Amino acid sequence: MENNQEVAHIRRIKSYVLREGRLTTGQERAIKELWPVWGVEYQEALINPAVLFNRDNAPLTVEIGFGMGKSLVEMAGNAPERNFIGIEVHTPGIGACLADIRDHEITNLRIVHHDAVEVFNNMIPDGSVDTLQLYFPDPWHKARHHKRRIVKQEFLDMVIPKLKQGGVIHMATDWENYAEQMLEVLSGDARLENMSADGTYVPRPDFRPLTKFELRGQRLGHGVWDLMFRKK
């Protein structure tokens, strides 16, 4: 009952706003043609990764909010030994990601078009996730909107049980204030240990691709902070 109340609390204050852009012809066609192949319909029942990917014992990476999906597709292509599930609410991103999966002949990635809170609560089995990725979530930079940020204790209480022992939460943001909040929340949970040598942030790992957005930020002198915490 307590967990249901926590999930209800997260649902009441959304961490995203649906700003649906117009679907391109290519995105619309990709959804129509490719969703039956790589899409996973939301359901109030646990998935079985071994059945979903038709192979046993492959490590599972889940990414929340993959945007247009380019970096997620690249990561999946670079790590064929892993399974990947991407969760996104914005329809244009779903279409773009499906097209990229097809164009790069990716076989180890599935995507879910739904609210990540409900997906984690109802579809992801406990102890099944090796890596949880949350890259550049909406920073809700105005102080009065900080309550909308996804990274808070209720979020950790939802996702940590889904991690395997030794599983990793990897976050990245280009807002220093949000990085500080992430560090505070993650460091305050006794179930996690910081993988940073100095107890703060880690260098960007090679497996996280640089996006065009991030490269532009670097040219403008903007910082990016990566955090990696392991489940004890």
Side-chain angles (χ1 to χ4, degrees):
M1 184 67 174
E2 182 179 351
N3 183 59
N4 289 339
Q5 290 172 345
E6 289 171 350
V7 170
H9 173 72
I10 298 175
R11 283 201 187 113
R12 281 199 300 271
I13 302 176
K14 292 287 189 181
S15 62
Y16 62 88
V17 172
L18 281 174
R19 306 181 185 92
E20 292 287 18
R22 186 171 181 178
L23 278 171
T24 67
T25 301
Q27 291 166 356
E28 189 172 6
R29 183 167 58 247
I31 291 172
K32 181 179 180 180
E33 297 176 358
L34 305 177
W35 178 261
V37 183
W38 292 294
V40 179
E41 295 290 346
Y42 171 72
Q43 60 187 30
E44 292 190 359
L46 296 175
I47 61 170
N48 183 335
V51 173
L52 184 62
F53 291 93
N54 195 30
R55 60 175 176 175
D56 294 324
N57 303 320
L60 176 63
T61 295
V62 179
E63 180 165 339
I64 294 175
F66 57 74
M68 302 305 278
K70 288 192 176 298
S71 64
L72 179 58
V73 169
E74 183 176 342
M75 281 186 286
N78 290 337
E81 75 283 359
R82 301 183 69 90
N83 294 332
F84 290 79
I85 294 175
I87 305 169
E88 179 57 63
V89 293
H90 294 95
T91 306
I94 296 293
C97 187
L98 286 169
D100 271 353
I101 292 172
R102 175 198 59 206
D103 295 345
H104 292 85
E105 299 181 345
I106 303 298
T107 61
N108 59 329
L109 171 58
R110 304 290 184 271
I111 60 176
V112 184
H113 185 194
H114 200 76
D115 181 353
V117 170
E118 294 189 340
V119 173
F120 263 81
N121 193 48
N122 296 319
M123 293 181 66
I124 306 298
D126 287 352
S128 66
V129 178
D130 290 84
T131 303
L132 170 65
Q133 298 178 168
L134 180 68
Y135 298 154
F136 306 101
D138 194 325
W140 294 101
H141 58 277
K142 294 181 180 179
R144 68 177 183 271
H145 291 155
H146 285 184
K147 63 187 177 183
R148 292 186 176 273
R149 288 177 171 177
I150 191 171
V151 181
K152 58 187 71 174
Q153 189 59 50
E154 294 92 342
F155 175 75
L156 294 186
D157 290 339
M158 181 181 69
V159 300
I160 289 176
K162 308 300 179 181
L163 293 174
K164 293 181 179 178
Q165 292 302 123
V168 173
I169 296 176
H170 181 197
M171 299 182 183
T173 180
D174 60 333
W175 282 81
E176 186 172 13
N177 171 267
Y178 201 179
E180 292 168 349
Q181 177 183 328
M182 290 176 173
L183 182 61
E184 180 181 0
V185 172
L186 291 164
S187 298
D189 196 302
R191 295 168 291 182
L192 301 173
E193 58 182 353
N194 197 336
M195 297 172 65
S196 167
D198 65 359
T200 58
Y201 309 102
V202 298
R204 181 186 65 84
D206 291 339
F207 63 79
R208 183 174 74 74
L210 279 169
T211 65
K212 291 181 180 179
F213 166 79
E214 192 173 351
L215 287 168
R216 177 179 177 275
Q218 287 183 349
R219 289 194 297 270
L220 295 173
H222 298 167
V224 172
W225 293 265
D226 281 75
L227 304 91
M228 297 182 74
F229 278 72
R230 181 185 293 114
K231 182 177 179 179
K232 294 179 181 178

